[in-house]
Amino acid sequence: GDSSVALQAQEEIIEMKDVFSVKLKRRRFAGQKQGGTLLGITIFKCLNKEENKLTDCAIHLNNLSEDHCQSWLRHLKEILNDFQNRPKSLKVFVNPSSHKREATHVYYEKVAPLFKLADIKTDVTVTEYEGHALSVLKECELQAFDGVVCVGGDGSVSEVAHGLLLRAQIDAGKDTDHVSEPARAPVPLGVIPAGTTNILAHTLYGIKHAVTATLHIVMGHIQAVDVCTFSTPSKLLRFGFSAMFGFGARALALAERHRWMPSSQRKDFAFIKTLANLKPEECELSFLPLQIPQQDSREKDRKKKERTKKGSRDQWQKIQGHFLNVSIMAIPCLCSMAPRGLAPNTRLNNGSMALIVVQNTSRTEFIKHLKRYTGVKNQFNFPFVETYTVQEVKVQPRLKSGPDAKENTCLNAASAEGNYPWNIDGDLMKEASEVHVRVHPQLIDLYGLNTDDLESSQATCNCI
């Protein structure tokens, strides 16, 4: 430096666990793509900001020596290459139809530059129709990639997750129609939010922010997550994280029939219309409560006596009646409209599902229940709402007959055969028979950290 300039000494410690890229810094003229005057090296770092937001920043270290810069570059890259879980090659799916058709812009303007900066190779598929990602995943060589990334909404992410897990069953030689003990997904899944609600992204990151999601992928933050299988007695329907039967599914079915409307208007219209025509579904629910393992023989004997008195918890329980909504969720399902989650008492990987049953009640009381999701009051503190922690659930709808059948079919947007709509991770499915839901602990790895575990997961790493 210039001795005539008084400089204040400042010290900053950079932990290598926060660094995701190191590049040579050169001065180039306009239009010059190679060469240039060497100025030093630039370290690209991931910063934690408020509200779970991540951002990147650049730190410039000035040095005019080619030997010094090359030495620093080589050694720092060796450290970065030693970090586990950081991807070097990714398969990317972009759904251009998500939300306001912004997914393509989000990827190429916000995501791709960070992948390039981190020296991550990408193979991009812009999906052209529903099921496109699923068909590609069945055929592509997944061993060539360290992970799969989906840029889109909840429906797109659900399709890619289902495709990954279906591919795992095929590779393991399992029967894909009857999956009792499924194989784990072969590679992690990254979620870049570009949809309307983005429940999975909110649950993983605590925020809808494409750069935050991208940096979690770049940094190799991995979270094991529980997955559900949704099956009929004859076949596997799909893998998923959450489902709704009743109001939540009827609203989605109505929204799907009005695809010509803008996304936000379509969902608001469907919500209000379904609320105006609020009707319960008649069905029987069978569920297996979560079984807590006993620790010692004395505790086991005590529990055995309690079960003898009260009935075994290992046995299936049944409830039947008229229900406005049934939710089955293996994850908390956070979103902007439910910041605490649709199922706030469950976790991403605790091996259980939340079963939330809303019995028939007045429209006024049901609206009070829905409003509480946006606030801090307990949304389940109503006499008509029941919650259970379960391992398995069976939902058996009761087909209606008589003068109400035609109206019921119209409101459900279901077929004349009496199929009932299900909302599985934002995708509409129709089934007339019993649906069996099982939870499978930590079946897939997702890029991103559960916000509850953000601080505890920090590792001790090298630093400069």
Side-chain angles (χ1 to χ4, degrees), residues 86-92 115 118-123 141-149 187-188 217 447:
R86 292 196 179 183
K88 295 177 176 61
S89 179
L90 294 170
K91 176 64 187 173
V92 180
F115 284 165
D119 297 320
I120 298 174
K121 297 179 180 179
T122 56
D123 182 81
E141 300 292 333
L142 281 179
Q143 62 268 24
F145 304 103
D146 298 316
V148 172
V149 173
V187 292
I217 297 170
Y447 285 111

Side-chain angles (χ1 to χ4, degrees), residues 175-349:
D175 182 359
T176 55
D177 283 335
H178 301 89
V179 183
S180 57
E181 296 182 2
R184 291 190 91 245
V187 292
L189 171 62
V191 180
I192 307 292
T196 306
T197 52
N198 302 285
I199 283 177
L200 195 55
H202 270 281
T203 304
L204 284 170
Y205 316 126
I207 191 173
K208 178 190 174 182
H209 189 239
V211 170
T212 295
T214 306
L215 287 172
H216 276 297
I217 297 170
V218 168
M219 302 299 288
H221 297 159
I222 286 183
Q223 168 74 57
V225 178
D226 300 339
V227 179
C228 303
T229 50
F230 299 88
S231 309
T232 66
S234 60
K235 65 176 181 177
L236 170 72
L237 295 175
R238 73 181 300 154
F239 293 93
F241 302 97
S242 64
M244 285 187 282
F245 177 79
F247 178 82
R250 287 155 62 93
L252 178 62
L254 190 58
E256 289 298 309
R257 293 172 59 196
H258 292 78
R259 275 275 173 187
W260 53 271
M261 297 175 68
S263 176
S264 57
Q265 293 181 21
R266 177 174 73 242
K267 297 201 171 189
D268 289 344
F269 165 79
F271 181 87
I272 294 171
K273 184 75 172 177
T274 308
L275 199 57
N277 295 308
L278 188 64
K279 289 184 181 295
E281 302 283 6
E282 183 180 358
C283 63
E284 178 183 275
L285 301 176
S286 305
F287 58 91
L288 184 63
L290 178 66
Q291 300 174 27
I292 303 174
Q294 276 74 34
Q295 299 298 320
D296 54 44
S297 58
R298 287 177 298 178
E299 181 72 6
K300 189 174 182 179
D301 291 339
R302 186 180 67 82
K303 293 286 185 180
K304 187 175 180 180
K305 291 179 181 179
E306 288 184 3
R307 287 200 300 269
T308 303
K309 294 179 181 179
K310 301 179 181 179
S312 175
R313 290 188 61 201
D314 297 347
Q315 297 299 317
W316 285 80
Q317 298 182 20
K318 289 186 180 181
I319 54 175
Q320 59 183 6
H322 294 79
F323 307 114
L324 292 177
N325 194 67
V326 177
S327 299
I328 305 167
M329 298 177 173
I331 62 175
C333 294
L334 277 66
C335 62
S336 58
M337 296 183 65
R340 294 183 298 115
L342 299 176
N345 295 328
T346 191
R347 292 294 179 265
L348 287 171
N349 58 1

Side-chain angles (χ1 to χ4, degrees), residues 136-163:
V136 171
L137 283 169
K138 286 182 179 179
E139 303 295 333
C140 78
E141 300 292 333
L142 281 179
Q143 62 268 24
F145 304 103
D146 298 316
V148 172
V149 173
C150 178
V151 187
D154 290 324
S156 306
V157 174
S158 176
E159 180 183 329
V160 173
H162 173 66

Side-chain angles (χ1 to χ4, degrees), residues 429-449:
M429 298 192 70
K430 297 173 185 175
E431 282 300 323
S433 60
E434 173 187 288
V435 174
H436 188 179
V437 187
R438 295 185 182 93
V439 65
H440 304 278
Q442 303 184 21
L443 196 60
I444 191 171
D445 288 329
L446 298 181
Y447 285 111
L449 290 181

Side-chain angles (χ1 to χ4, degrees), residues 24 39 43 50 79 104 113 118 134 166 228 279 311 338 350 371 382 388 397 448 464:
L24 290 176
L39 300 177
I43 296 174
E50 68 283 350
I79 295 174
T104 305
L134 180 60
L166 203 61
C228 303
K279 289 184 181 295
N350 63 353
K371 280 185 175 180
F382 290 94
Y388 307 89
I464 29 178

